[in-house]
């Protein structure tokens, strides 16, 4: 769901919020753990990790999936946008060809459906492909509106995807990781999960919820596992383009963002459990 800017005044307000998020990101970057600067070497069969990414049909999820495949990792991707999955599957196959890795899997799954996520978990178990890393990336945002003008279905869509969708994945995949006594879960957060902006209150609330959910679940995980909240920073996605028009070009593209994000994610360890990080 894309934002629609209706006034220059509101656009300026959003720009101020984005600038403030940038300052937060810059101030946090000095506190990032050493894993943020590690070099990622391409994987062979012995070191290959299986990474489950939700929301892979476009934007950050799509770019991250392709970057991980280029590094030799195995990608399990899901999205509710069936029409875009065939092309992604072909791209993943091409990226993985030199590693002789034909284990990538792309499925049409809506994380809002607990039954669908349960079936996804059953599928990966059958394929002996329980993920080493999960990236809860699927998300949506309401159209710009004051909270009292946000339609019920839009508010529900944000909560059902951004919060309940993550909970559904945690419900069915965390026990599989616990059985293996290892695993890293990355919940995609936002600068608006650590600050706020007018007219996107449902989205802000959902990302603040992700920050709190992550910290709480971190206290429930056994030793050897980790869950983190990861803000991608301000990236030139379709949503940002709809907010800022040509000004979005001032920010990194998902493709330029993905290498650093992949490096951070692949280097996360149990020591990072409960952290709030920024790419």
């Amino acid at each position: 769901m894309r934002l629609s800017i209706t006034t220059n005044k509101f656009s300026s307000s959003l720009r101020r919020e984005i600038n403030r998020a940038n300052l937060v990101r810059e101030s946090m970057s000095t506190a990032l753990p050493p894993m943020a600067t590690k070099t990622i070497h391409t994987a062979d069969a012995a070191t290959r990790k299986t990474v489950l990414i939700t929301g892979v049909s476009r934007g950050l999820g799509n770019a991250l999936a392709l970057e991980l495949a280029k590094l030799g990792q195995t990608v399990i991707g899901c999205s509710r946008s069936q029409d875009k999955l065939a092309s992604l599957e072909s791209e993943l196959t091409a990226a993985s060809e030199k590693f002789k890795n034909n284990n990538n899997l792309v499925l049409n799954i809506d994380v809002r459906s607990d039954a669908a996520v349960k079936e996804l978990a059953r599928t990966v178990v059958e394929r002996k492909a329980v993920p080493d890393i999960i990236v809860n990336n699927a998300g949506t945002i309401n159209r710009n509106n004051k909270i009292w003008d946000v339609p019920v279905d839009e508010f529900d869509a944000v909560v059902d995807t951004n919060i309940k969708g993550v909970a559904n994945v945690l419900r069915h995949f965390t026990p599989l990781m616990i059985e293996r006594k290892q695993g890293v879960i990355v919940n995609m957060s936002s600068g608006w999960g650590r600050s706020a902006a007018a007219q996107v209150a449902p989205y802000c609330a959902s990302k603040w919820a992700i920050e709190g959910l992550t910290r709480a679940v971190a206290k429930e995980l056994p030793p050897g596992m980790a869950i983190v909240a990861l803000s991608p920073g301000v990236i030139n996605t379709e949503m940002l383009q709809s907010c800022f028009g040509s000004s979005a070009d001032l920010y990194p593209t998902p493709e330029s963002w993905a290498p650093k994000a992949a490096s951070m994610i692949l280097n996360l360890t149990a020591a990072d459990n409960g952290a709030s990080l920024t790419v």
Side-chain angles (χ1 to χ4, degrees):
M1 191 175 297
R2 298 178 64 187
L3 286 172
S4 175
I5 299 300
T6 56
T7 68
N8 290 332
K9 179 179 178 181
F10 180 53
S11 180
S12 297
S13 173
L14 274 179
R15 284 193 180 92
R16 286 195 296 272
E17 293 294 343
I18 289 291
N19 288 335
R20 184 167 67 173
N22 277 335
L23 291 175
V24 171
R25 178 182 63 180
E26 291 169 2
S27 67
M28 292 178 64
S29 64
T30 57
L32 289 176
M35 58 89 186
T37 58
K38 285 184 179 179
T39 299
I40 289 296
H41 300 287
T42 54
D44 56 25
T47 61
R48 182 173 296 142
K49 293 182 179 180
T50 298
V51 185
L52 168 66
I53 309 173
T54 66
V56 295
S57 64
R58 61 180 181 176
L60 303 182
N62 185 276
L64 181 62
L66 290 172
E67 180 63 28
L68 289 169
K70 291 174 184 176
L71 293 172
Q73 313 299 335
T74 296
V75 174
I76 300 174
C78 67
S79 170
R80 64 188 183 196
S81 300
Q82 175 67 53
D83 58 321
K84 298 181 180 180
L85 292 182
S87 60
L88 174 60
E89 188 171 22
S90 297
E91 291 179 275
L92 288 173
T93 299
S96 301
E97 187 174 3
K98 67 178 180 179
F99 299 102
K100 298 183 177 3
N101 179 16
N102 60 357
N103 295 317
N104 296 315
L105 179 65
V106 179
L107 296 171
N108 181 210
I109 298 291
D110 187 342
V111 295
R112 297 176 300 180
S113 167
D114 182 69
V117 176
K118 182 178 181 180
E119 179 63 18
L120 174 63
R122 185 191 66 78
T123 298
V124 302
V125 169
E126 286 183 352
R127 292 175 61 104
K128 294 182 170 52
V130 174
D132 301 293
I133 301 171
I134 294 172
V135 182
N136 281 311
N137 169 74
T140 189
I141 193 168
N142 60 286
R143 289 176 293 183
N144 299 333
N145 250 326
K146 291 173 180 164
I147 186 63
W148 50 89
D149 291 325
V150 175
V152 171
D153 60 338
E154 284 189 25
F155 193 100
D156 287 348
V158 172
V159 171
D160 289 348
T161 304
N162 298 7
I163 304 175
K164 292 183 180 179
V166 172
N168 289 339
V169 173
L170 295 177
R171 181 178 301 114
H172 295 293
F173 280 89
T174 308
L176 302 179
M177 288 181 154
I178 290 175
E179 285 180 13
R180 302 174 71 208
K181 299 180 180 179
Q182 64 178 12
V184 172
I185 301 166
V186 179
N187 294 331
M188 295 303 286
S189 183
S190 169
W192 284 342
R194 301 164 191 174
S195 62
Q199 301 209 12
V200 286
Y203 180 78
C204 292
S206 73
K207 291 305 181 179
W208 278 81
I210 287 301
E211 293 281 338
L213 178 69
T214 300
R215 295 185 187 187
V217 174
K219 298 179 182 297
E220 300 172 352
L221 293 179
M225 293 183 61
I227 184 169
V228 304
L230 181 64
S231 171
V234 185
I235 310 300
N236 184 8
T237 59
E238 290 181 17
M239 186 177 72
L240 196 67
Q241 292 164 14
S242 69
C243 290
F244 298 110
S246 61
S247 296
D249 293 338
L250 299 173
Y251 297 96
T253 64
E255 292 73 24
S256 64
W257 166 88
K260 184 176 180 181
S263 177
M264 289 184 67
I265 289 169
L266 290 172
N267 278 295
L268 289 167
T269 69
D272 299 300
N273 189 34
S276 290
L277 306 172
T278 303
V279 177

